[in-house]
């Protein structure tokens, strides 16, 4: 006689077989059969009770991004299910494998307009690469196993909708999992041919100002790319998600381009005559690639991405690191490039400016010293969960991130409220590492109820809130709207986040002065070391970071003409600046130089 087990328990055993250690969610009546199974399997699968389903979905998305492994979240029928959608779209956009288990009313109540019943398949069809409603109790573990395979295959979201009564039904207790050693083999990647690489090298030789625009497709090939950059004398411009994959100490790393980027990266990109997009998914291409004409080479392991962001002069279907290695094999070292040296000097000038801002004493408190203190207590294994807003810009400019660090953000979907969930995921999957979340007050207040989740599960997370009672990122956009007479909808009522945290049993400190920052971060480090979460509420000014997006670069008569966008501070509130030196002075950047200065120093002719 075959032994039996509840279908929901069989399903959880499949999930466990795929290496899942924890599952995020919030109970509801239509999910009780799975909750019963979680109680039975609690020694093998930890249920993490979040206080909002969106937090669970965002945590699962972050978990998958941080580990590369399947992560699991759930919601009950009705609002529990729909609350998951923001986090699931975040996972879809950032190509993170996530399994979402969705509760449904009992099968014999379906199609009767029963309480909280609705047709869930259409709701989740767009966000998912696989979406199925379970039709029999016996198929429940099979469908979940299949869903996990599809999530891995497509690096996306798989959804399984479970009529609640099916989970209680006894089914044969047999192995339903399909996991095997083959699952751990690296997938084969497309390889560049000698002919393709030689064609790229010929285009580089014909160019006067080539750059490589580096995406996260470079993965672990950062050192080889730096070697290639030195060998061919080509500056590297990053996408934001590439931060930390290449050493930021390398002089040819100009940092990211666009609004969150560096002055040098934006200026050099705007005079490049050849752009090699290497493993990039650059959603701001229509802001950057359209500013002037250039030859365009795209290297990507997914040929379906060719031409997505710019028309092609050459497409190379290849893994980014394999392409770099092949380029190293077939290229000859080039003499020192004046263009490369001008780019390096431009970036050194920018970095000196950032260092000045980060280390100077300000009263009232500004945001740069907050990052300077974080760099002091962080280490080369710190995990950072970044929320959306001005901190996106500030982390990319001021946080020291090494290849051994991990950091996560809602990148392409840019969902506010992702900071705390990502930190919860980081603390659970990397319990031996320091974990930090960074949020503005707008984003933090969306999910701050889940500080109690950090407390409940003894997660030593440092929660940094940069609060200025304003949606700063949107404020800066509204500043550049000509004819807008005032800001609209961006003012936030102030809150005492430390008192709120203390009400949940979480310690914290509010900082309003530069002099108090060091003690606050030292206290945080002590509390984290003792295994408890901590909140630093840093009350900062409304100051806008240097607006590199306001720089306009063009070539005229063999010289760079660099101007300030007329839209900069063009509303009727902010101080309008018309000339480049005026912009530098307005942002305490007296030492900043225009691009032509570095071209002249290096004797670059255009």
């Amino acid at each position: 006689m075959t032994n039996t087990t509840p279908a929901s328990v069989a399903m959880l055993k499949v999930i466990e077989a795929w290496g899942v250690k924890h599952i995020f969610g919030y109970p509801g009546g239509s999910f009780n059969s799975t909750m019963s199974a979680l109680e039975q399997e609690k020694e093998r699968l930890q249920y993490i009770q979040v206080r909002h389903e969106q937090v669970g979905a965002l945590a699962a998305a972050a978990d998958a991004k941080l580990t590369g492994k399947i992560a699991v979240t759930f919601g009950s029928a009705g609002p529990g299910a729909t609350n998951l959608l923001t986090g699931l779209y975040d996972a879809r956009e950032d190509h993170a494998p996530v399994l979402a288990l969705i509760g449904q009313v009992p099968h014999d109540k379906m199609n009767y307009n029963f309480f909280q019943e609705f047709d869930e398949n259409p709701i989740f069809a767009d966000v998912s690469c696989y979406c199925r409603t379970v039709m029999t109790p016996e198929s429940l573990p099979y469908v979940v196993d299949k869903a996990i395979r599809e999530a891995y295959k497509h690096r996306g979201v798989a959804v399984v909708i479970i009529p609640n009564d099916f989970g209680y039904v006894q089914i044969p207790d047999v192995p339903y999992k399909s996991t095997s050693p083959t699952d751990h083999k690296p997938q084969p990647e497309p390889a560049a041919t000698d002919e393709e690489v030689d064609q790229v090298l010929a285009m580089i030789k014909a160019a006067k100002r080539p750059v490589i625009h580096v995406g996260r497709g470079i993965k672990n090939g950062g050192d080889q790319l730096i070697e290639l950059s030195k060998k061919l004398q080509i500056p590297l411009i990053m996408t934001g998600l590439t931060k930390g994959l290449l050493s930021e100490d390398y002089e040819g790393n100009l940092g990211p381009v666009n609004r969150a980027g560096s002055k040098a990266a934006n200026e050099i990109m705007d005079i490049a005559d050849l752009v090699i997009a290497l493993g990039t998914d650059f959603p701001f291409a229509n802001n950057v690639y359209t500013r002037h004409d250039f030859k365009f080479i795209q290297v990507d392991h997914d040929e379906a991405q060719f031409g997505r962001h710019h028309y092609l002069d050459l497409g190379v279907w290849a893994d980014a690191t394999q392409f770099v290695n092949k380029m190293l094999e077939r290229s000859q070292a080039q003499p020192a490039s004046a263009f490369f040296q001008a780019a390096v000097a431009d970036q050194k000038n920018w970095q000196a400016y950032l260092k000045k801002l980060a280390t100077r004493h300000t009263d009232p408190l500004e945001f740069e010293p907050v990052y300077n203190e974080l760099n002091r207590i962080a280490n080369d294994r710190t995990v950072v969960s970044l929320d959306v807003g001005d901190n996106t810009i500030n982390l990319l400019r001021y946080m020291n991130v090494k290849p051994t660090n991990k950091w996560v953000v809602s990148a392409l979907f840019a969902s506010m409220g992702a900071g705390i969930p990502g930190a919860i995921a980081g603390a659970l999957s990397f319990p031996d590492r320091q974990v930090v979340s960074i949020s503005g007050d707008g984003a933090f207040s969306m999910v701050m109820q889940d500080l109690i989740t950090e407390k409940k599960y003894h997660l030593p997370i440092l929660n940094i809130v940069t609060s200025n009672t304003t949606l700063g990122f949107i404020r800066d956009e509204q500043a550049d709207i000509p004819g807008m007479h005032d800001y609209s909808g961006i003012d936030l009522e102030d809150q005492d986040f430390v008192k709120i945290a203390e009400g949940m049993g979480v310690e914290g400190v509010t900082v309003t002065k530069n002099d108090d920052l060091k003690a606050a971060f030292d206290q945080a480090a002590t509390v984290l070391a003792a295994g408890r979460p901590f909140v630093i509420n840093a009350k900062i000014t409304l100051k806008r970071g240097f607006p590199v997006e306001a720089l306009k670069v063009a070539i005229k008569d063999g010289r760079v003409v660099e101007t300030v966008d007329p839209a900069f501070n063009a509303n009727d509130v902010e101080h309008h600046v018309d000339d480049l030196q005026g912009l530098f002075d307005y942002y305490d950047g007296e030492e900043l130089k225009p691009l032509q200065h570095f071209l002249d120093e290096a004797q670059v002719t255009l």
Side-chain angles (χ1 to χ4, degrees):
M1 182 176 176
T2 304
N3 292 331
T4 62
T5 188
S8 54
V9 172
M11 171 190 70
L12 293 186
K13 287 181 177 179
V14 167
I15 291 172
E16 294 161 9
W18 282 97
V20 176
K21 303 299 182 186
H22 46 258
I23 178 172
F24 303 96
Y26 201 71
S30 60
F31 207 73
N32 275 337
S33 61
T34 303
M35 298 311 301
S36 175
L38 283 168
E39 176 63 23
Q40 294 182 55
E41 291 298 299
K42 63 184 178 183
E43 299 301 322
R44 290 166 289 279
L45 183 63
Q46 184 182 17
Y47 162 52
I48 303 298
Q49 180 200 67
V50 294
R51 293 305 181 95
H52 194 290
E53 292 90 352
Q54 178 174 313
V55 170
L58 286 167
D63 211 4
K65 285 184 267 189
L66 286 166
T67 66
K69 299 177 181 178
I70 191 76
V72 186
T73 187
F74 68 79
S76 59
T82 58
N83 282 344
L84 293 171
L85 283 168
T86 296
L88 297 184
Y89 271 102
D90 172 60
R92 187 191 79 165
E93 292 302 294
D94 287 352
H95 310 295
V98 168
L99 170 66
L101 304 176
I102 310 299
Q104 180 57 286
V105 302
H107 83 285
D108 58 352
K109 302 293 191 298
M110 292 172 66
N111 301 321
Y112 283 93
N113 293 329
F114 194 72
F115 176 69
Q116 290 190 325
E117 181 202 359
F118 71 102
D119 188 358
E120 294 169 333
N121 287 78
I123 295 292
F124 292 98
D126 181 65
V127 75
S128 63
C129 60
Y130 178 87
C131 181
R132 296 290 187 276
T133 296
V134 176
M135 303 305 291
T136 66
E138 292 78 10
S139 66
L140 173 56
Y142 165 80
V143 172
V144 166
D145 186 73
K146 175 69 172 173
I148 293 173
R149 285 209 169 274
E150 293 292 325
Y152 270 128
K153 178 181 178 180
H154 298 285
R155 292 188 303 142
V157 176
V159 175
V160 177
I161 300 165
I162 308 169
N164 187 40
D165 56 326
F166 284 173
Y168 295 116
V169 176
Q170 295 287 324
I171 65 173
D173 188 9
V174 298
Y176 292 94
K177 63 181 178 63
S178 67
T179 54
S180 71
T182 298
D183 298 320
H184 304 294
K185 289 168 61 176
Q187 291 187 351
E189 294 280 10
T193 65
D194 291 352
E195 292 78 13
E196 289 169 331
V197 167
D198 290 347
Q199 192 173 353
V200 172
L201 290 170
M203 292 178 70
I204 291 173
K205 185 176 181 180
K208 295 181 179 178
R209 299 177 299 278
V211 301
I212 299 176
H213 194 192
V214 188
R216 58 180 171 173
I218 192 62
K219 293 178 282 194
N220 296 322
D223 289 345
Q224 298 97 300
L225 181 56
I226 288 173
E227 183 182 351
L228 182 68
S229 170
K230 292 177 180 177
K231 185 176 184 181
L232 299 183
Q233 291 286 284
I234 300 177
L236 306 177
I237 294 174
M238 305 292 110
T239 58
L241 289 176
T242 316
K243 185 176 177 69
L245 295 182
L246 278 77
S247 171
E248 295 183 306
D249 294 330
Y250 170 52
E251 64 176 8
N253 181 348
L254 306 187
V257 71
N258 200 38
R259 179 177 171 183
S262 76
K263 171 178 172 289
N266 278 273
E267 290 172 325
I268 294 300
M269 178 67 85
D270 282 351
I271 64 169
D273 59 358
L274 172 65
V275 175
I276 303 170
L278 183 64
T280 64
D281 185 1
F282 186 49
F284 300 104
N286 283 342
N287 289 354
V288 175
Y289 288 172
T290 56
R291 297 197 294 232
H292 77 295
D293 293 330
F294 49 77
K295 295 288 186 182
F296 186 69
I297 298 171
Q298 185 175 359
V299 181
D300 205 289
H301 71 168
D302 180 1
E303 70 273 35
Q305 301 303 313
F306 287 155
R308 178 176 179 180
H309 295 309
H310 194 277
Y311 63 83
L312 285 184
D313 291 288
L314 176 65
V316 179
W317 183 36
D319 170 70
T321 300
Q322 184 273 339
F323 170 81
V324 168
N325 288 334
K326 178 72 76 171
M327 289 278 286
L328 284 168
E329 288 175 14
R330 300 189 65 78
S331 59
Q332 299 294 321
Q334 297 301 301
S337 159
F339 169 66
F340 181 83
Q341 291 306 316
V344 168
D346 195 1
Q347 177 66 355
K348 285 182 178 178
N349 180 238
W350 172 251
Q351 289 291 340
Y353 167 69
L354 296 185
K355 184 176 181 179
K356 179 190 79 173
L357 297 185
T359 55
R360 69 179 180 174
H361 188 285
T362 62
D363 188 15
L365 182 64
E366 296 179 344
F367 59 81
E368 297 96 342
V370 176
Y371 279 86
N372 194 47
E373 282 300 314
L374 177 57
N375 285 330
R376 180 178 65 84
I377 70 157
N379 58 61
D380 59 6
R381 286 171 53 79
T382 297
V383 178
V384 177
S385 178
L386 174 66
D387 219 312
V388 172
D390 273 349
N391 282 305
T392 305
I393 301 173
N394 299 336
L395 180 139
L396 291 176
R397 290 182 181 176
Y398 292 99
M399 180 95 192
N400 296 333
V401 179
K402 295 181 170 58
T404 50
N405 289 118
K406 288 182 176 290
W407 73 284
V408 67
V409 64
S410 177
L412 296 186
F413 204 54
S415 173
M416 291 176 67
I420 287 177
I424 290 171
L428 288 166
S429 287
F430 302 97
D432 61 333
R433 292 189 180 219
Q434 181 190 65
V435 179
V436 179
S437 78
I438 307 174
S439 308
D441 43 355
F444 188 81
S445 61
M446 287 184 171
V447 292
M448 61 187 175
Q449 77 282 339
D450 272 277
L451 284 174
I452 196 65
T453 304
E454 299 179 13
K455 167 73 161 39
K456 179 173 183 175
Y457 295 102
H458 311 288
L459 304 178
I461 296 168
L462 170 55
N463 302 274
I464 299 173
V465 191
T466 52
S467 57
N468 55 12
T469 67
T470 303
L471 296 175
F473 197 87
I474 307 305
R475 184 181 192 274
D476 297 343
E477 289 181 341
Q478 291 185 5
D480 297 345
I481 300 176
M484 188 164 185
H485 301 300
D486 201 350
Y487 294 108
S488 178
I490 58 170
D491 295 329
L492 303 173
E493 193 70 16
D494 198 11
Q495 302 178 72
D496 191 331
F497 293 115
V498 170
K499 279 190 177 180
I500 293 168
E502 288 172 347
M504 300 185 202
V506 175
E507 299 157 80
V509 62
T510 298
V511 181
T512 60
K513 296 190 236 177
N514 202 303
D515 288 341
D516 297 333
L517 270 178
K518 183 178 185 302
F521 275 87
D522 287 343
Q523 183 182 355
T526 300
V527 172
L528 263 62
R532 303 190 302 275
F534 193 81
V535 172
I536 293 179
N537 183 19
K539 310 277 266 183
I540 61 170
T541 69
L542 294 176
K543 186 182 82 168
R544 180 179 182 176
F546 187 92
V548 294
E549 68 274 19
L551 300 175
K552 296 299 175 185
V553 174
I555 299 174
K556 185 176 181 180
D557 299 329
R559 303 277 294 176
V560 166
V561 177
E562 192 165 8
T563 57
V564 178
D565 188 338
F568 170 69
N569 276 2
N571 67 7
D572 294 336
V573 181
E574 296 298 325
H575 174 68
H576 187 65
V577 176
D578 294 313
D579 65 283
L580 196 61
Q581 191 58 50
L583 182 70
F584 294 163
D585 293 344
Y586 188 67
Y587 284 94
D588 299 328
E590 296 83 1
E591 67 270 56
L592 290 174
K593 305 294 183 186
L595 174 58
Q596 186 62 51
H597 170 87
F598 304 107
L599 297 175
D600 288 341
E601 277 192 339
Q603 298 182 337
V604 175
T605 56
L606 303 179

